[in-house]
Structures are given as structure tokens and as C-alpha cells.
Amino acid sequence: MEMHAGAAAGKSPEERVALVGTPNVGKSVLFGLLTGTYATVSNYPGTTVEVTRGNAAVHGRRLVCIDTPGINSIVPMSEDEQVTRDILLAERPVTVVQVGDSKNLVRALLITLQLAEMELPLILDLNMEDEARDRGILIDTQALGRALGIEVISTVAPERKGLGELRRALASRAAAVPSAAVRYHKVIEDYAGRIAALLPPAAGPARALALMALSRDETLGPRLRCALDAAAVETIERLRGECERAFARPVGTAIHEARLRKARELAEAATTRVAASPYPIMRTLGAACMHPVWGACILAAVLLGLYGFVGVLGAGVLVDFAEDAVFNGYVNPFFTRAAELLVPTQFLRDMLVGPYGVITMALTYALAIILPITAAFFLAFGVLEDTGYLPRLAVMADRFFRLMGLSGKAVLPMVLGLGCGTMAVMTTRVLETRRDRLIATFLLALAVPCAAQLGVIMGMLGGLSLTAFAIWIGCLGAVLLLAGRLAALIVPGERTGFILEIPPFRLPSAGNVLLKTGHRVVWYLREAAPLFVYGTLALFLLDKAGLLDTLKEALAPVITDFLGLPREATAAFLVGFLRRDYGAAGLHALRDQGMLDPVQTMVSLLTLTLFVPCLAHFLMMIKERGLRPAVCMFVIIAVLAVAAGGALNWTLRALAIPLG
Amino acid sequence: MKDFAHKIVQEGPGTQSMFEDETLETVWDFIELGHAPAVADVVARVGDEARVRAVSLAGFITIAGDRISLTPAGERRARDVVRRHRLAERLFADILDIKDYEADACHFEHVISASVEEAICTLLGHPPLCPHGKPIPKGACCELYTRKLAPLVRSLADAEVGAMLRVTFITSPGLQRLAGLGLVPGAALRLQQKLPAFVVAIGETTVAIDRDVASGIFVRSV
Ligand SMILES: Nc1nc2c(ncn2[C@@H]2O[C@H](COP(=O)(O)OP(=O)(O)OP(=O)(O)O)[C@@H](O)[C@H]2O)c(=O)[nH]1
Ligand SMILES: [Zn+2]
Ligand SMILES: [Zn+2]
Ligand SMILES: [Zn+2]
């Protein structure tokens, strides 16, 4: 970690405001409203896994706002939670805005009390006041504010309700450090005092750190070691051991219980309960999504809906229209004519509008094939995200993921992988152990196609038959299961238990879904289009230099002999290294030209689905997991993809299954 | 390690059998922590060196040099005593809600019969740990795990859907993560479903867990 105590405090004059709180309480919505910058908002815990910063001006005061990953306790349980704790310790923001869930006041106050121990100037924002009111929970913010000794505000972030008050609180004077404190058992207080006395002032809030040390916070070790000499660290270890023996009960549990008592006391005094409004439809629907029978039906309906919307509408109707009518009908002929008239040399003309032309290949693929599919997918996906369906899917899929040595929690990164593998690799941070993160990263790279690729695949298989589709799904599932099982055996460590908070089922807001889709599509094109152009240029130069034929010749034993594909497919796989969706678009074009028979379509699609992760994805794997594991995965995946493709080729040809 | 308030010893000599129980329990305690105790360690806790040596003559412990170890017969008996003590602790702490239960647990361990012990164990749902987090030696009933007598405390994995429950103790790994979500001893919860995974509601928080985690959460009906 680059954050050492005190290092950040001196160097920058900017005033920082950190938004912290439990996962999924609306921090990112508030961040967006305060700064005007967009941060991804979704209805599942763990949307924000990285720190986002943005500038906010409130009534003339310039602030740097920090959106942090959600935490359930100041003692971190996973990588993303640790980021938040480190920000609080290292950056010492001028104000911390704790966003709490009004309908879960005790949980919010548990964190408030820990922030108070860290002596942080605090504003408590109780968000989701609407949902609390629906459940008959009314909170007296004034009384709670007096009891805590800080300003307490209530908001409904998506409706901007209470936002004015929050801005006023941020603009006015410096926020207060809460005066409410927890009294622990005298043995704990005694040892906390003795440990605190050993800590230099620069290390941060001594009492809070001492309590963390007593709760056996292992992540604290490195921090203490860089602020203290070895002898002092040893003394702290010794004191902790002594305290545990003297107390005869797990100290961490006792500390938690004392906080819980205080939080309950505070919450009780500030809460009034009235009759809940009868509005159980969303709750019933939310429960049905996890029901063993209804849940399966809903899952089938969701998959069918996705297939219809993305596969049939997006990859079928929209792509046909854009590719055939728009690009092949108008755009490409227009540019071809224009090039003939305006561009002097054949070389440059080919570069723009030839078979490997920037316009006829790169732009056509990006805008006519990839754009409609990704837009359709992100739209559908945004709706799913905002209802809160994904954590419920995790419940449904837990058993399947157990077979691969993972827990249902890994569903989130895997499903996000359908949107973009690169982002999904980052989301594996929500998993608790290194083992789980490794396996999830591997499976993501191997068997989760991104939306654009998936759309193309659906479109092409849709043209064949249901049997073809079933075979493709079956093969993919088998590879996923087999590879997962093997990975679980090889990677050392225990499977972690599945523990996941399920947010309320909500009606998605059209505004957020459209905004999110727009952001994602733009981001996607920015990411993809340049690589499409570079890839095309590389192919074009290889072709002109005569190297493409050499490469096709060299790879013929694999592509034509083993996989039974036409030589032209080589180019698709070559650009697949750059981006898998580009490779998929290449196969789509080949099929349109009638160069792939049904078996070849199946084999090429399966191979490309399993094919090595694209460049950006691979770089992210190196960044998150390290060079060696990433390279190992790359090699294993390349071998697996070709082997599976070959096996399918020989099986299909031997059995002569009618495909369409 | 003031786990056992040895009231019996303080109150007077008690019977020889009680003294043997205490001695064996103390030795077990030390061995559990990883080393055979010195005679002085044990005497410091039970109070009378001559009587400790008498326990050795009765064939329950051997004293080699300065160190005490358990004979097979001694180990069997120590196991039973410790088991009764820790079951009693659980009973007082979880069911009777008594705060200062140590002294009573120490009385209790000497007086309950095997059938009472079994009934308590079953009632408590064959708990694996005492309130201090130490393992409770298993008895015959735990191995059979008969459910004839509906236990008061049982694992969440055995609870029925729709039940309102209160958590008594948690032995599953990931204790801290559960605590962060409000799943702590004393919390009231409703079991919403068991398949395909367990879903519980604690106040306004809904949490999904798998069977492994659920079977480490012990609950009683409210
Ligand atoms: N009903 C209601 N929903 C809200 C409110 N605030 C946020 N939401 C919804 O809650 C969900 C989570 O919001 P986010 O802003 O992503 O939450 P977060 O705290 O940033 O979550 P993480 O990044 O996962 O820690 C979204 O679906 C929001 O639309 C509120 O006041 N009322
Ligand atoms: Zn967020
Ligand atoms: Zn005990
Ligand atoms: Zn038993």
C-alpha cells in the first residue's frame, strides 16, 4: 500500500470529504449528485470496488469528494473494504459523510461508533428514508444528533430529497467528532489503554487502533510495522495475548457486543414505529426470485428474455439492418466511391476500403455489429442490475458454483463478465480469499464471453437450430465445470462459506438505467474502436507483406486439420487476440459469405468463446493477480480452447448430428 | 485461565470423588492448551499436594518426575467431567440466562447423572463449544444424534422455514462477516427459505448463506 500514516496529510491543501457506509446504501448516488460526475449505481452490494474522486462545490466551498467501497465493519474482510479503512486512516478527510440505511439504523450506528473511535469529524446521512417510512420506521434525526453530538440528516438520494440540507451541512462549519462513545469491559479498556500508549501520534487515532489490534485485525500488521519498531510490535502482540487470556472470551466478540448494545440503545431512543404501509408486491417478487421452483421459472424467463432482446432483436434485427441496409447499402459503397475518386494510390485505397480496410472492416464491425448488440445487452443488463435480481441469482446459482469450488458470491463477477471481462476481473475483489479470486479470474477468462461476442454467437446459432444452441451451451457448461473443479483441486485453500446480503427488490428507474447504458456504450466504443482500427491495420500490413498467407500456412495444422475450419478463419482468431468480440465479428462476416458450414460454425464459435482473454482483459489479469498466474492461465486457456474445439469437431463429424 | 472457580475446594474438602474430578479436570485443561502440567501447577489450583498424589495412587494420573499425565482410565473420567462442566455452562448461559454461572457449573458437573447429561446435551442441540469457545467432548448421544426429543437449541440447518428464531451461539467460520451483517448471538431472525440456499431476515437486513454456514449457527425458537 502506498499510504503511510501522515504522508498524505501534509502534502495537499485540498479539503477532502469521504463518503463511507455499508454496501448498497446509496453512496454512489450521492456522490453523483454532489460532484456531477457519474459513478456506477447498481442495486447490489459491491458495485464500487475502487475509490472514485470528484470535485464538489458547495456554497462556494471547494471540496474533493471520495466515493469508497461499502464496509460492514471498520475491520476489513476483503480487499475492497480494506481500501476504505486505509483512506480513513491515511487521508484524514476534513469531513466524513457516513451514509446509513434508515431502515437499518442499528447497523449504521455500529459504524458510526467505530468512526467516532477514530476521532473523525462526521456527518451522519440516513438515506433511504422512503423505504424506512414504508416499513413504518420513523427516525428523530434531531434527537439522534444530540445523542451522538453530530449533525444527522435524512435523505432520499434518487429523489434529491434532503440534498439541500446535506450540502448546507457540508458548506457550513467543520463537522464535529461524535461525542458518543462505547465503554468496554474494564479489562479491555485497560489493555486498550496500554496498547494505545505505545503508539506514536503519527500512527493515527490510538484508541481505535488499539481496539483493532485487540480484535485481531490482521490487515493492521503492516501499518503498525511501518510506524513502529519491531520491539513495540512484539509488545503489542504480547499484550493482546494477555488480554485474551485474562478475558477468557474472544475479545473481538466482546468489543462487538458492547458496540451493539450502545447502538441499540441509541437507535431505540430515536426510533418510532408506526404501521407499515401495505406494499408487499416488490417483496413478494423479490422472494419469488430465490424460491426453488418460482426462482427457476423466473431464471428461465430472464434467460429467454435476454435471448430475445439481445440475440434476436439486437444481434438479429438490428445488426441485419445496420450491416446490410446501412453499411453495405450506403456507407461502404459511398466511401468506396469516394476513395476511388479522391485517394491517389491503390495502397491507401485498400487501407481504407479494401478487404482489410479501416472503414469496410474496422468501422463496419464496430458500428454495425458490435454497437447494436452491446447497446441492447447493456440496456437489459441495467434493468436486471437495478431491480436487485443479481444477488438473488447468486442464491439460485450457489449450488452450481459449489461444484467449481466457489460460492454463489462469485456469480456477481461472472455475470458482470458478460458486460466486460476487464471490469469483471476488478470486481473479483469482493471475494474474500485469494483462492476464490484466482479461480474466478481463471473461469472468467476461460468461459465467460462478453456481451458483444455472446450476441454474435446467439445470432449465428439462432440461424442454425435449437440443437446447435443446446450443444454449445452444454459444451461451455461442461468445460466450465471441469475447469472449475480442476482449478479448485489445484489452487490451495478452503472454499469460503457463502454469505451475501440481499438488497430489497426495487423498481428500476428509467433515468438511471438509460444513463448507465449510455455511459457504458460510449465507454465500450472508446475502448473497442481504436483496437479494431489497430487490428485491421495490422492485418492489412501483414496481408500486403504477404505474411498473412505465411501465417495461415503455419497455423493450417491447427486451424484446418485439427479444427476443420477454412483458412480464412485464421484472421478472425488472430484479431481475437486483440479483442474477442472482433474475432466474433470476423466469424459473423465469414458465415455471411457462406464460408462456414454448420459444423464449422459450431466449432469456431466454441473455440472463440473459450479463446484466450483479449489484450485489455489480460493486462488487467496481470495487474490484479500478478504476472505469473496470469501467464499460466493464458497458456492453459489457449490449450483448452483448441482442445475443446477439436474434440467438438471430431465428435460432430463422427456422429453426423443434424444441426440445421 | 480463571475458568473454574473452585468453590468446592474453598468451601471445604468435599468428597474424595469430587476432589478427583477437580484434579482431572485441571489436568485436562492444561493438556488441552498443549502441555502436561507440573505438579505445582495443579496443586496451585486444587490446593492439596498429598491428595493429588492420592489421585495418582487411585490410578487416574501418573506423576513422572515433576509432570502429570492422564492414564487411560483417568482420561475417560476427565473427559466426562469436562463434558458435564461445559454442558452446564451452556445450559446456564444460553437457556437460563444466568450471568455468573461458573461456580454453579462447577457444582453441577459432580452431581448430574449420565441420563441427565444426555438429556441436557440433546436439549442444547449437542453443542460443539462451551461459552468460552472450548470444545465440549462428544458423548454417545452426539454420535447418534437422535432427534427424538426436540432440542431447544438446534442448528439453523435443522430449523423449519418460517420460524422466528433467536441466535444462541455461532461456530461457523466467518464469524466477523456475519457480525457485520447483524448475525450475532442474541439476534432475532426469521428463516425465509432453505433451498437452494438459506435466506434469513434479521430486522430489515436479508442475508443468504449456504448450508455449511447455517449449520454453524445455533438457534432457539422464540
Ligand atoms: N428507495 C431508495 N433507493 C435508493 C436510495 N438511495 C439509493 N438507492 C438505490 O440503492 C441502490 C444502491 O445505490 P448505490 O449508490 O450504488 O449504493 P453504494 O452505497 O454506492 O453501493 P456500493 O458501491 O455497492 O457500496 C441503487 O439501486 C439506488 O438506486 C434511496 O434513498 N431510496
Ligand atoms: Zn458505490
Ligand atoms: Zn467453559
Ligand atoms: Zn450430545
Side-chain angles (χ1 to χ4, degrees):
Chain A
M1 287 264 92
E2 79 277 33
M3 294 159 188
H4 285 241
K11 75 166 190 273
S12 57
E14 63 189 25
E15 293 192 292
R16 279 179 284 241
V17 171
L19 289 167
V20 300
T22 41
N24 210 41
V25 289
K27 296 179 296 298
S28 296
V29 179
L30 283 168
F31 175 81
L33 291 174
L34 286 173
T35 62
T37 18
Y38 178 77
T40 314
V41 173
S42 296
N43 190 12
Y44 52 79
T47 315
T48 311
V49 291
E50 259 206 327
V51 176
T52 320
R53 285 163 205 266
N55 292 312
V58 280
H59 303 278
R61 194 170 166 197
R62 298 206 59 79
L63 298 166
V64 173
C65 214
I66 310 174
D67 185 18
T68 61
I71 48 168
N72 278 314
S73 153
I74 299 291
V75 178
M77 297 294 144
S78 56
E79 276 183 340
D80 55 327
E81 293 190 1
Q82 188 171 347
V83 170
T84 304
R85 209 269 315 269
D86 285 340
I87 285 193
L88 293 176
L89 280 177
E91 300 212 9
R92 304 302 294 172
V94 288
T95 305
V96 174
V97 177
Q98 187 206 333
V99 188
D101 179 352
S102 302
K103 62 182 182 295
N104 260 317
L105 188 56
V106 174
R107 267 176 77 192
L109 289 174
L110 267 176
I111 294 185
T112 312
L113 292 170
Q114 296 179 66
L115 294 170
E117 274 161 11
M118 294 171 79
E119 294 157 32
L120 291 162
L122 197 65
I123 296 173
L124 176 59
D125 173 12
L126 294 176
N127 193 32
M128 307 205 165
E129 189 264 333
D130 53 339
E131 291 191 343
R133 201 166 1 90
D134 282 346
R135 289 164 169 75
I137 301 169
L138 302 181
I139 296 168
D140 182 348
T141 50
Q142 296 287 326
L144 185 59
R146 277 193 302 277
L148 286 169
I150 55 171
E151 190 144 0
V152 179
I153 292 164
S154 101
T155 56
V156 182
E159 294 169 24
R160 295 170 163 265
K161 208 171 128 191
L163 192 70
E165 268 171 78
L166 178 60
R167 295 175 70 96
R168 208 169 312 121
L170 278 173
S172 60
R173 58 208 146 71
V177 174
S179 55
V182 185
R183 307 247 14 113
Y184 298 100
H185 189 279
K186 58 182 187 312
V187 176
I188 296 179
E189 289 284 357
D190 177 36
Y191 278 93
R194 282 159 74 182
I195 292 177
L198 291 169
L199 299 170
R207 184 175 139 91
L209 288 172
L211 287 167
M212 284 178 204
L214 284 175
S215 324
R216 282 180 171 273
D217 179 356
E218 263 104 35
T219 53
L220 200 63
R223 282 193 66 81
L224 289 182
R225 266 192 287 283
C226 78
L228 289 171
D229 54 86
V233 173
E234 210 155 282
T235 316
I236 292 176
E237 275 298 298
R238 207 200 65 230
L239 285 172
R240 200 195 72 202
E242 258 177 44
C243 179
E244 268 170 10
R245 275 189 301 277
F247 202 61
R249 246 157 49 86
V251 178
T253 315
I255 290 179
H256 185 82
E257 276 171 12
R259 286 179 185 150
L260 193 61
R261 252 195 314 277
K262 178 84 182 176
R264 286 203 179 124
E265 207 175 278
L266 286 166
E268 211 133 288
T271 309
T272 326
R273 286 198 169 257
V274 296
S277 71
Y279 185 61
I281 298 167
M282 284 320 248
R283 258 189 265 186
T284 313
L285 204 58
C289 290
M290 302 185 280
H291 190 271
V293 179
W294 296 122
C297 298
I298 292 175
L299 177 57
V302 166
L303 289 179
L304 210 66
L306 267 182
Y307 176 76
F309 194 70
V310 182
V312 179
L313 183 71
V317 179
L318 288 181
V319 169
D320 281 349
F321 174 73
E323 197 187 8
D324 299 340
V326 180
F327 270 80
N328 292 341
Y330 300 99
V331 180
N332 289 337
F334 169 79
F335 279 109
T336 311
R337 282 290 301 281
E340 273 161 16
L341 292 175
L342 299 174
V343 181
T345 66
Q346 180 67 34
F347 183 81
L348 283 181
R349 268 204 295 278
D350 281 353
M351 192 167 104
L352 288 175
V353 296
Y356 298 110
V358 169
I359 293 169
T360 40
M361 187 174 180
L363 280 190
T364 310
Y365 283 9
L367 298 179
I369 301 180
I370 303 303
L371 177 67
I373 296 174
T374 41
F377 176 79
F378 282 140
L379 196 63
F381 192 65
V383 172
L384 279 187
E385 272 185 333
D386 283 16
T387 53
Y389 182 69
L390 297 186
R392 290 170 171 82
L393 177 64
V395 171
M396 298 302 294
D398 180 52
R399 298 201 154 217
F400 180 71
F401 275 66
R402 274 164 83 102
L403 296 176
M404 302 182 289
L406 288 170
S407 81
K409 206 165 181 180
V411 168
L412 290 182
M414 300 291 245
V415 173
L416 280 181
L418 292 175
C420 165
T422 317
M423 298 298 273
V425 175
M426 265 171 72
T427 309
T428 57
R429 287 183 196 171
V430 301
L431 303 179
E432 284 96 11
T433 60
R434 192 180 129 75
R435 169 186 177 277
D436 289 8
R437 291 193 288 269
L438 265 177
I439 298 179
T441 308
F442 172 65
L443 295 179
L444 260 174
L446 174 69
V448 180
C450 70
Q453 199 189 348
L454 193 65
V456 174
I457 291 167
M458 283 179 178
M460 286 170 73
L461 290 176
L464 284 177
S465 66
L466 213 59
T467 325
F469 199 67
I471 292 177
W472 177 78
I473 291 260
C475 288
L476 202 60
V479 171
L480 194 67
L481 212 63
L482 216 68
R485 274 222 85 96
L486 284 179
L489 286 180
I490 295 166
V491 183
E494 288 275 295
R495 193 184 78 89
T496 36
F498 172 53
I499 302 174
L500 183 69
E501 185 179 357
I502 310 290
F505 208 69
R506 299 190 174 110
L507 210 60
S509 94
N512 186 44
V513 171
L514 288 177
L515 190 66
K516 189 154 65 171
T517 308
H519 268 275
R520 282 176 167 166
V521 169
V522 169
W523 164 82
Y524 196 89
L525 283 181
R526 275 220 195 113
E527 195 90 338
L531 280 171
F532 278 32
V533 172
Y534 302 146
T536 312
L537 284 175
L539 276 186
F540 170 73
L541 292 176
L542 282 177
D543 185 39
K544 283 285 166 196
L547 283 173
L548 197 56
D549 279 324
T550 321
L551 264 174
K552 283 180 183 169
E553 208 56 55
L555 291 174
V558 177
I559 302 278
T560 43
D561 299 347
F562 188 59
L563 295 177
L565 300 177
R567 284 167 43 126
E568 286 71 19
T570 314
F573 285 102
L574 284 180
V575 294
F577 272 111
L578 218 50
R579 282 195 69 94
R580 282 204 270 188
D581 47 359
Y582 194 9
L587 292 179
H588 185 89
L590 274 187
R591 205 270 323 254
D592 281 357
Q593 291 155 26
M595 292 210 277
L596 295 176
D597 68 24
V599 172
Q600 288 174 327
T601 308
M602 295 284 305
V603 172
S604 60
L605 286 182
L606 182 68
T607 313
L608 195 73
T609 312
L610 298 173
F611 203 50
V612 291
C614 63
L615 197 63
H617 186 160
F618 184 57
L619 290 178
M620 184 58 87
M621 283 165 67
I622 296 178
K623 177 166 163 259
E624 294 280 314
R625 296 288 95 81
L627 183 63
R628 250 177 53 116
V631 171
C632 282
M633 288 186 206
F634 190 94
V635 174
I636 296 173
I637 290 170
V639 173
L640 267 179
V642 174
L648 183 65
N649 176 33
W650 293 95
T651 322
L652 286 181
R653 296 210 183 272
L655 298 181
I657 298 168
L659 291 169
Chain B
M1 273 306 312
K2 288 182 297 189
D3 200 343
F4 305 100
H6 292 274
K7 214 163 171 189
I8 295 177
V9 181
Q10 288 156 19
E11 277 173 350
T15 66
Q16 178 61 20
S17 141
M18 278 188 193
F19 185 84
E20 282 169 4
D21 281 354
E22 287 303 318
T23 308
L24 291 171
E25 189 177 8
T26 309
V27 175
W28 175 281
D29 238 28
F30 275 104
I31 291 175
E32 196 171 60
L33 288 177
H35 51 90
V39 176
D41 291 335
V42 176
V43 171
R45 295 249 234 117
V46 296
D48 188 335
E49 175 156 359
R51 292 181 78 181
V52 171
R53 294 200 178 270
V55 179
S56 146
L57 290 180
F60 292 115
I61 57 175
T62 44
I63 305 181
D66 183 33
R67 299 276 146 191
I68 300 184
S69 55
L70 293 169
T71 63
E75 186 173 331
R76 267 196 304 281
R77 182 157 162 203
R79 216 182 128 81
D80 287 345
V81 176
V82 170
R83 174 172 155 77
R84 289 198 298 267
H85 178 95
R86 293 182 184 170
L87 278 175
E89 286 179 336
R90 274 254 88 99
L91 178 70
F92 293 145
D94 298 341
I95 305 296
L96 308 180
D97 227 357
I98 298 172
K99 287 260 146 28
D100 259 337
Y101 49 75
E102 271 314 328
D104 293 308
C106 260
H107 276 300
F108 217 67
E109 72 191 34
H110 308 291
V111 295
I112 53 178
S113 66
S115 58
V116 173
E117 167 202 311
E118 223 168 74
I120 293 175
C121 189
T122 309
L123 181 80
L124 295 171
H126 311 276
L129 298 176
C130 82
H132 305 94
K134 295 186 187 166
I136 301 178
K138 291 253 172 286
C141 60
C142 310
E143 255 90 78
L144 284 175
Y145 206 120
T146 48
R147 293 177 213 196
K148 265 181 273 170
L149 188 83
L152 255 191
V153 175
R154 57 210 190 282
S155 132
L156 185 58
D158 297 328
E160 55 298 331
V161 172
M164 293 298 303
L165 306 160
R166 189 172 292 282
V167 179
T168 54
F169 57 96
I170 299 178
T171 59
S172 24
L175 202 68
Q176 302 226 31
R177 275 195 293 144
L178 291 171
L181 297 171
L183 259 173
V184 287
L189 59 85
R190 205 178 80 85
L191 179 58
Q192 285 191 355
Q193 63 173 65
K194 293 169 78 166
L195 278 173
F198 284 66
V199 175
V200 295
I202 316 122
E204 297 300 333
T205 306
T206 309
V207 180
I209 52 182
D210 60 17
R211 177 169 276 275
D212 293 351
V213 178
S215 54
I217 299 176
F218 288 77
V219 293
R220 53 184 295 205
S221 308
V222 287

